[in-house]
Amino acid sequence: VQVVESGGGLVQAGGSLRRSCAASGSISSISSMLWYRQCPGKQRELVAFITSAGLTHYSDSLKGRFTISRDNAKNTVYLQMDSLKPEDTAVYYCLAERSDGLRYWGQGTQVTVSS
C-alpha cells in the first residue's frame, strides 16, 4: 500500500485548507484511513479517521472545524480544515490502516497558520 498526500502549505488564521490523501496498491486490505499531526514540540496526535464503512471519528479538540471524507472511486481521503488557528500549525500525516493493524504512513506535509 502506498499513501501519497497533497495539499497543505501556508494560510492565514481563520482560513481554510484541504488536504488530500490517495492510497494505491492493495487497497482492499485497508480498513481505515487516518490523519495525524505533530505540532512543534508536541507528540503526534490523532486528528480524525474514517473507516471503510464511512464511520468517522474526530479529536474532541478539533471537532467542528475539521472534516474527514472519502471518495471511494478515487481511493482518496480528504481533510477539510476550517477556521484555522496558529496552534494548528503542524506536520500533518495521512495513513492507511489494515484490519490487522498494520499502518502505512504518508510522507507528511507542513501546514503553517500565520496570525
Side-chain angles (χ1 to χ4, degrees):
V1 176
Q2 293 79 45
V3 177
V4 178
E5 305 169 33
S6 60
L10 176 65
V11 65
Q12 288 189 330
S16 299
L17 277 177
R18 190 176 82 156
R19 301 291 321 283
S20 299
C21 175
S24 61
S26 301
I27 57 176
S28 61
S29 64
I30 298 172
S31 60
S32 298
M33 296 291 292
L34 303 88
W35 288 97
Y36 272 75
R37 73 179 186 181
Q38 187 162 19
C39 300
K42 296 186 178 181
Q43 291 188 333
R44 197 171 293 180
E45 61 176 342
L46 175 68
V47 173
F49 68 78
I50 185 166
T51 70
S52 56
L55 299 176
T56 59
H57 171 83
Y58 297 90
S59 165
D60 286 342
S61 63
L62 301 175
K63 197 178 299 183
R65 295 194 298 121
F66 288 21
T67 304
I68 190 170
S69 61
R70 66 190 300 161
D71 183 335
N72 290 330
K74 296 181 179 180
N75 300 318
T76 300
V77 172
Y78 304 96
L79 182 68
Q80 178 68 37
M81 303 183 288
D82 298 319
S83 302
L84 284 163
K85 305 174 182 179
E87 51 264 43
D88 293 318
T89 294
V91 178
Y92 285 75
Y93 299 89
C94 176
L95 55 146
E97 183 177 84
R98 295 188 339 185
S99 54
D100 62 0
L102 185 65
R103 291 180 165 185
Y104 301 88
W105 288 77
Q107 75 274 19
T109 304
Q110 177 71 43
V111 171
T112 301
V113 183
S114 63
S115 56

Short mmCIF file of all heavy atoms in Angstrom, two decimals, residues 56-103:
data_model
loop_
_atom_site.label_atom_id
_atom_site.label_comp_id
_atom_site.label_asym_id
_atom_site.label_seq_id
_atom_site.Cartn_x
_atom_site.Cartn_y
_atom_site.Cartn_z
N THR A 56 -16.88 7.93 10.98
CA THR A 56 -15.84 8.91 11.25
C THR A 56 -15.65 9.14 12.74
O THR A 56 -16.56 8.91 13.55
CB THR A 56 -16.16 10.26 10.59
OG1 THR A 56 -17.41 10.75 11.09
CG2 THR A 56 -16.24 10.13 9.09
N HIS A 57 -14.44 9.58 13.07
CA HIS A 57 -14.12 9.92 14.46
C HIS A 57 -13.17 11.11 14.41
O HIS A 57 -12.29 11.18 13.55
CB HIS A 57 -13.46 8.76 15.16
CG HIS A 57 -12.92 9.11 16.51
ND1 HIS A 57 -13.69 9.14 17.64
CD2 HIS A 57 -11.66 9.50 16.89
CE1 HIS A 57 -12.94 9.51 18.68
NE2 HIS A 57 -11.72 9.73 18.25
N TYR A 58 -13.36 12.03 15.35
CA TYR A 58 -12.52 13.21 15.40
C TYR A 58 -11.95 13.40 16.80
O TYR A 58 -12.56 13.03 17.80
CB TYR A 58 -13.34 14.46 15.07
CG TYR A 58 -13.89 14.48 13.68
CD1 TYR A 58 -15.15 13.96 13.39
CD2 TYR A 58 -13.14 15.01 12.62
CE1 TYR A 58 -15.66 13.97 12.11
CE2 TYR A 58 -13.64 15.03 11.34
CZ TYR A 58 -14.90 14.51 11.08
OH TYR A 58 -15.39 14.52 9.80
N SER A 59 -10.80 14.03 16.84
CA SER A 59 -10.27 14.50 18.10
C SER A 59 -11.26 15.51 18.67
O SER A 59 -11.78 16.36 17.94
CB SER A 59 -8.92 15.17 17.87
OG SER A 59 -8.54 15.94 18.99
N ASP A 60 -11.53 15.40 19.94
CA ASP A 60 -12.51 16.30 20.57
C ASP A 60 -12.13 17.77 20.37
O ASP A 60 -13.00 18.62 20.19
CB ASP A 60 -12.62 16.00 22.07
CG ASP A 60 -13.37 14.72 22.34
OD1 ASP A 60 -14.10 14.26 21.44
OD2 ASP A 60 -13.24 14.17 23.46
N SER A 61 -10.86 18.05 20.39
CA SER A 61 -10.42 19.45 20.31
C SER A 61 -10.57 20.03 18.90
O SER A 61 -10.54 21.25 18.73
CB SER A 61 -8.97 19.57 20.75
OG SER A 61 -8.12 18.85 19.89
N LEU A 62 -10.76 19.16 17.91
CA LEU A 62 -10.84 19.63 16.53
C LEU A 62 -12.22 19.47 15.93
O LEU A 62 -12.48 19.96 14.83
CB LEU A 62 -9.83 18.86 15.67
CG LEU A 62 -8.38 19.00 16.10
CD1 LEU A 62 -7.50 18.10 15.25
CD2 LEU A 62 -7.93 20.44 16.00
N LYS A 63 -13.07 18.77 16.65
CA LYS A 63 -14.42 18.53 16.14
C LYS A 63 -15.12 19.85 15.86
O LYS A 63 -15.08 20.77 16.66
CB LYS A 63 -15.20 17.71 17.18
CG LYS A 63 -16.44 17.05 16.65
CD LYS A 63 -17.10 16.23 17.75
CE LYS A 63 -16.20 15.13 18.28
NZ LYS A 63 -16.87 14.29 19.29
N GLY A 64 -15.76 19.91 14.70
CA GLY A 64 -16.47 21.13 14.33
C GLY A 64 -15.69 22.01 13.38
O GLY A 64 -16.28 22.82 12.65
N ARG A 65 -14.37 21.87 13.38
CA ARG A 65 -13.55 22.67 12.47
C ARG A 65 -12.93 21.83 11.37
O ARG A 65 -12.68 22.33 10.28
CB ARG A 65 -12.43 23.37 13.24
CG ARG A 65 -12.92 24.40 14.24
CD ARG A 65 -11.77 25.28 14.72
NE ARG A 65 -10.72 24.53 15.40
CZ ARG A 65 -9.45 24.49 15.00
NH1 ARG A 65 -9.09 25.13 13.91
NH2 ARG A 65 -8.56 23.81 15.70
N PHE A 66 -12.70 20.57 11.65
CA PHE A 66 -12.09 19.66 10.67
C PHE A 66 -13.12 18.63 10.22
O PHE A 66 -13.91 18.14 11.04
CB PHE A 66 -10.88 18.95 11.28
CG PHE A 66 -9.67 19.82 11.49
CD1 PHE A 66 -9.76 21.19 11.56
CD2 PHE A 66 -8.42 19.23 11.61
CE1 PHE A 66 -8.64 21.98 11.75
CE2 PHE A 66 -7.28 20.01 11.80
CZ PHE A 66 -7.39 21.37 11.88
N THR A 67 -13.07 18.29 8.95
CA THR A 67 -13.98 17.30 8.40
C THR A 67 -13.21 16.31 7.54
O THR A 67 -12.48 16.72 6.64
CB THR A 67 -15.07 17.96 7.55
OG1 THR A 67 -15.76 18.95 8.33
CG2 THR A 67 -16.08 16.93 7.07
N ILE A 68 -13.40 15.04 7.82
CA ILE A 68 -12.76 13.99 7.02
C ILE A 68 -13.82 13.38 6.12
O ILE A 68 -14.97 13.20 6.53
CB ILE A 68 -12.10 12.92 7.93
CG1 ILE A 68 -11.25 11.97 7.10
CG2 ILE A 68 -13.14 12.17 8.76
CD1 ILE A 68 -10.37 11.04 7.96
N SER A 69 -13.43 13.08 4.90
CA SER A 69 -14.35 12.46 3.95
C SER A 69 -13.55 11.60 2.99
O SER A 69 -12.32 11.64 2.98
CB SER A 69 -15.14 13.53 3.18
OG SER A 69 -14.26 14.36 2.43
N ARG A 70 -14.26 10.80 2.21
CA ARG A 70 -13.55 9.93 1.28
C ARG A 70 -14.31 9.81 -0.02
O ARG A 70 -15.54 9.93 -0.07
CB ARG A 70 -13.33 8.55 1.91
CG ARG A 70 -14.58 7.74 2.17
CD ARG A 70 -14.25 6.51 3.01
NE ARG A 70 -13.29 5.64 2.34
CZ ARG A 70 -12.56 4.72 2.97
NH1 ARG A 70 -12.67 4.57 4.28
NH2 ARG A 70 -11.72 3.96 2.31
N ASP A 71 -13.54 9.60 -1.07
CA ASP A 71 -14.09 9.33 -2.40
C ASP A 71 -13.60 7.95 -2.77
O ASP A 71 -12.44 7.78 -3.17
CB ASP A 71 -13.61 10.40 -3.39
CG ASP A 71 -14.20 10.21 -4.77
OD1 ASP A 71 -14.58 9.08 -5.12
OD2 ASP A 71 -14.29 11.21 -5.51
N ASN A 72 -14.46 6.96 -2.62
CA ASN A 72 -14.03 5.58 -2.85
C ASN A 72 -13.63 5.34 -4.31
O ASN A 72 -12.74 4.53 -4.58
CB ASN A 72 -15.15 4.62 -2.44
CG ASN A 72 -15.34 4.58 -0.94
OD1 ASN A 72 -14.39 4.79 -0.17
ND2 ASN A 72 -16.55 4.32 -0.49
N ALA A 73 -14.27 6.03 -5.21
CA ALA A 73 -13.95 5.84 -6.63
C ALA A 73 -12.52 6.28 -6.94
O ALA A 73 -11.88 5.75 -7.84
CB ALA A 73 -14.94 6.61 -7.49
N LYS A 74 -12.03 7.25 -6.17
CA LYS A 74 -10.69 7.76 -6.38
C LYS A 74 -9.70 7.24 -5.35
O LYS A 74 -8.52 7.61 -5.39
CB LYS A 74 -10.69 9.29 -6.33
CG LYS A 74 -11.51 9.94 -7.44
CD LYS A 74 -11.44 11.47 -7.34
CE LYS A 74 -12.22 12.12 -8.45
NZ LYS A 74 -12.17 13.60 -8.36
N ASN A 75 -10.19 6.40 -4.43
CA ASN A 75 -9.34 5.89 -3.35
C ASN A 75 -8.62 7.03 -2.64
O ASN A 75 -7.42 6.94 -2.32
CB ASN A 75 -8.31 4.88 -3.89
CG ASN A 75 -8.97 3.69 -4.53
OD1 ASN A 75 -9.95 3.16 -4.01
ND2 ASN A 75 -8.46 3.26 -5.67
N THR A 76 -9.36 8.07 -2.40
CA THR A 76 -8.79 9.28 -1.83
C THR A 76 -9.58 9.72 -0.60
O THR A 76 -10.81 9.63 -0.59
CB THR A 76 -8.78 10.41 -2.86
OG1 THR A 76 -7.97 10.02 -3.98
CG2 THR A 76 -8.20 11.70 -2.28
N VAL A 77 -8.85 10.18 0.38
CA VAL A 77 -9.44 10.71 1.60
C VAL A 77 -9.07 12.19 1.69
O VAL A 77 -7.96 12.58 1.30
CB VAL A 77 -8.93 9.96 2.84
CG1 VAL A 77 -9.39 10.63 4.12
CG2 VAL A 77 -9.40 8.53 2.81
N TYR A 78 -9.99 12.97 2.21
CA TYR A 78 -9.77 14.41 2.31
C TYR A 78 -9.87 14.85 3.77
O TYR A 78 -10.62 14.27 4.55
CB TYR A 78 -10.81 15.17 1.49
CG TYR A 78 -10.84 14.77 0.04
CD1 TYR A 78 -11.76 13.83 -0.42
CD2 TYR A 78 -9.93 15.30 -0.87
CE1 TYR A 78 -11.79 13.45 -1.75
CE2 TYR A 78 -9.94 14.92 -2.20
CZ TYR A 78 -10.89 14.00 -2.64
OH TYR A 78 -10.89 13.62 -3.95
N LEU A 79 -9.13 15.88 4.09
CA LEU A 79 -9.25 16.52 5.38
C LEU A 79 -9.49 18.01 5.12
O LEU A 79 -8.58 18.72 4.68
CB LEU A 79 -8.00 16.32 6.24
CG LEU A 79 -8.09 16.92 7.64
CD1 LEU A 79 -9.12 16.16 8.48
CD2 LEU A 79 -6.72 16.89 8.33
N GLN A 80 -10.70 18.45 5.36
CA GLN A 80 -11.05 19.85 5.22
C GLN A 80 -10.83 20.53 6.56
O GLN A 80 -11.41 20.11 7.57
CB GLN A 80 -12.52 19.99 4.79
CG GLN A 80 -13.01 21.43 4.67
CD GLN A 80 -12.36 22.17 3.52
OE1 GLN A 80 -12.11 21.60 2.46
NE2 GLN A 80 -12.05 23.45 3.74
N MET A 81 -10.00 21.54 6.55
CA MET A 81 -9.65 22.25 7.77
C MET A 81 -10.14 23.69 7.68
O MET A 81 -9.69 24.44 6.80
CB MET A 81 -8.14 22.21 8.00
CG MET A 81 -7.59 20.79 8.05
SD MET A 81 -5.82 20.73 8.40
CE MET A 81 -5.16 21.34 6.85
N ASP A 82 -11.07 24.05 8.53
CA ASP A 82 -11.66 25.39 8.51
C ASP A 82 -11.34 26.13 9.80
O ASP A 82 -10.96 25.53 10.80
CB ASP A 82 -13.18 25.28 8.33
CG ASP A 82 -13.57 24.64 7.02
OD1 ASP A 82 -12.93 24.94 6.00
OD2 ASP A 82 -14.52 23.83 7.02
N SER A 83 -11.53 27.43 9.74
CA SER A 83 -11.30 28.29 10.92
C SER A 83 -9.95 27.97 11.56
O SER A 83 -9.84 27.79 12.77
CB SER A 83 -12.42 28.10 11.94
OG SER A 83 -13.68 28.40 11.39
N LEU A 84 -8.94 27.91 10.72
CA LEU A 84 -7.62 27.50 11.21
C LEU A 84 -7.04 28.52 12.18
O LEU A 84 -7.26 29.74 12.05
CB LEU A 84 -6.69 27.29 10.03
CG LEU A 84 -6.93 25.97 9.28
CD1 LEU A 84 -6.27 26.00 7.91
CD2 LEU A 84 -6.42 24.79 10.10
N LYS A 85 -6.30 27.98 13.14
CA LYS A 85 -5.66 28.78 14.18
C LYS A 85 -4.15 28.57 14.11
O LYS A 85 -3.69 27.53 13.64
CB LYS A 85 -6.18 28.35 15.55
CG LYS A 85 -7.68 28.38 15.70
CD LYS A 85 -8.10 27.80 17.04
CE LYS A 85 -9.62 27.79 17.18
NZ LYS A 85 -10.04 27.20 18.48
N PRO A 86 -3.40 29.52 14.61
CA PRO A 86 -1.94 29.33 14.61
C PRO A 86 -1.53 28.03 15.31
O PRO A 86 -0.54 27.41 14.89
CB PRO A 86 -1.44 30.56 15.37
CG PRO A 86 -2.45 31.62 15.07
CD PRO A 86 -3.77 30.88 15.04
N GLU A 87 -2.27 27.62 16.31
CA GLU A 87 -1.91 26.38 17.01
C GLU A 87 -2.20 25.12 16.19
O GLU A 87 -1.87 24.01 16.62
CB GLU A 87 -2.62 26.29 18.37
CG GLU A 87 -4.12 26.52 18.32
CD GLU A 87 -4.49 27.96 18.65
OE1 GLU A 87 -3.82 28.89 18.15
OE2 GLU A 87 -5.49 28.15 19.38
N ASP A 88 -2.82 25.28 15.02
CA ASP A 88 -2.99 24.15 14.12
C ASP A 88 -1.75 23.92 13.26
O ASP A 88 -1.70 22.96 12.49
CB ASP A 88 -4.19 24.38 13.20
CG ASP A 88 -5.52 24.39 13.94
OD1 ASP A 88 -5.69 23.54 14.84
OD2 ASP A 88 -6.37 25.25 13.64
N THR A 89 -0.78 24.81 13.39
CA THR A 89 0.47 24.63 12.66
C THR A 89 1.11 23.31 13.07
O THR A 89 1.31 23.05 14.26
CB THR A 89 1.44 25.79 12.96
OG1 THR A 89 0.88 27.00 12.43
CG2 THR A 89 2.80 25.54 12.34
N ALA A 90 1.41 22.49 12.08
CA ALA A 90 1.92 21.16 12.37
C ALA A 90 2.31 20.48 11.07
O ALA A 90 1.99 20.95 9.97
CB ALA A 90 0.85 20.31 13.07
N VAL A 91 2.99 19.35 11.21
CA VAL A 91 3.15 18.44 10.09
C VAL A 91 1.98 17.46 10.15
O VAL A 91 1.76 16.83 11.19
CB VAL A 91 4.49 17.69 10.15
CG1 VAL A 91 4.59 16.71 8.99
CG2 VAL A 91 5.65 18.68 10.11
N TYR A 92 1.26 17.37 9.08
CA TYR A 92 0.08 16.50 9.01
C TYR A 92 0.43 15.25 8.21
O TYR A 92 1.03 15.33 7.14
CB TYR A 92 -1.09 17.24 8.37
CG TYR A 92 -1.71 18.26 9.29
CD1 TYR A 92 -1.08 19.47 9.55
CD2 TYR A 92 -2.93 18.00 9.92
CE1 TYR A 92 -1.65 20.40 10.42
CE2 TYR A 92 -3.51 18.92 10.78
CZ TYR A 92 -2.87 20.12 11.03
OH TYR A 92 -3.42 21.03 11.88
N TYR A 93 0.03 14.12 8.76
CA TYR A 93 0.32 12.82 8.15
C TYR A 93 -0.99 12.09 7.85
O TYR A 93 -1.91 12.06 8.67
CB TYR A 93 1.14 11.95 9.09
CG TYR A 93 2.47 12.49 9.48
CD1 TYR A 93 2.62 13.32 10.59
CD2 TYR A 93 3.62 12.16 8.74
CE1 TYR A 93 3.86 13.82 10.96
CE2 TYR A 93 4.86 12.65 9.10
CZ TYR A 93 4.97 13.48 10.21
OH TYR A 93 6.20 13.97 10.56
N CYS A 94 -0.99 11.45 6.71
CA CYS A 94 -2.09 10.56 6.36
C CYS A 94 -1.57 9.13 6.47
O CYS A 94 -0.41 8.85 6.17
CB CYS A 94 -2.56 10.83 4.94
SG CYS A 94 -3.83 9.71 4.35
N LEU A 95 -2.42 8.23 6.91
CA LEU A 95 -2.01 6.83 6.93
C LEU A 95 -3.18 5.93 6.63
O LEU A 95 -4.34 6.26 6.89
CB LEU A 95 -1.36 6.44 8.25
CG LEU A 95 -2.10 6.67 9.54
CD1 LEU A 95 -1.76 5.58 10.52
CD2 LEU A 95 -1.70 8.01 10.13
N ALA A 96 -2.84 4.79 6.09
CA ALA A 96 -3.81 3.74 5.82
C ALA A 96 -3.58 2.62 6.82
O ALA A 96 -2.44 2.24 7.08
CB ALA A 96 -3.65 3.21 4.40
N GLU A 97 -4.65 2.11 7.35
CA GLU A 97 -4.54 1.04 8.35
C GLU A 97 -5.28 -0.20 7.86
O GLU A 97 -6.44 -0.13 7.44
CB GLU A 97 -5.13 1.50 9.69
CG GLU A 97 -5.00 0.47 10.79
CD GLU A 97 -5.53 0.98 12.11
OE1 GLU A 97 -6.76 0.90 12.31
OE2 GLU A 97 -4.73 1.47 12.92
N ARG A 98 -4.59 -1.34 7.95
CA ARG A 98 -5.23 -2.60 7.59
C ARG A 98 -6.02 -3.14 8.77
O ARG A 98 -5.86 -2.69 9.90
CB ARG A 98 -4.17 -3.63 7.16
CG ARG A 98 -3.45 -3.25 5.91
CD ARG A 98 -2.53 -4.32 5.37
NE ARG A 98 -2.11 -5.35 6.29
CZ ARG A 98 -1.22 -6.29 5.98
NH1 ARG A 98 -0.71 -6.31 4.76
NH2 ARG A 98 -0.86 -7.20 6.85
N SER A 99 -6.83 -4.10 8.50
CA SER A 99 -7.65 -4.68 9.56
C SER A 99 -6.79 -5.39 10.61
O SER A 99 -7.23 -5.55 11.76
CB SER A 99 -8.65 -5.68 8.97
OG SER A 99 -7.99 -6.66 8.20
N ASP A 100 -5.56 -5.78 10.26
CA ASP A 100 -4.67 -6.41 11.24
C ASP A 100 -3.85 -5.38 12.01
O ASP A 100 -3.01 -5.75 12.82
CB ASP A 100 -3.75 -7.42 10.57
CG ASP A 100 -2.84 -6.80 9.54
OD1 ASP A 100 -2.89 -5.57 9.33
OD2 ASP A 100 -2.07 -7.55 8.90
N GLY A 101 -4.12 -4.10 11.75
CA GLY A 101 -3.45 -3.04 12.49
C GLY A 101 -2.20 -2.49 11.83
O GLY A 101 -1.64 -1.49 12.30
N LEU A 102 -1.73 -3.11 10.77
CA LEU A 102 -0.54 -2.62 10.08
C LEU A 102 -0.87 -1.27 9.43
O LEU A 102 -1.91 -1.12 8.81
CB LEU A 102 -0.08 -3.61 9.02
CG LEU A 102 1.23 -3.27 8.31
CD1 LEU A 102 2.38 -3.29 9.31
CD2 LEU A 102 1.49 -4.27 7.18
N ARG A 103 0.03 -0.33 9.60
CA ARG A 103 -0.19 1.02 9.09
C ARG A 103 0.84 1.41 8.05
O ARG A 103 2.02 1.08 8.16
CB ARG A 103 -0.16 2.02 10.26
CG ARG A 103 -1.33 1.89 11.21
CD ARG A 103 -1.26 2.89 12.33
NE ARG A 103 -2.54 2.99 13.03
CZ ARG A 103 -2.81 3.86 14.01
NH1 ARG A 103 -1.86 4.72 14.40
NH2 ARG A 103 -3.99 3.91 14.57
#
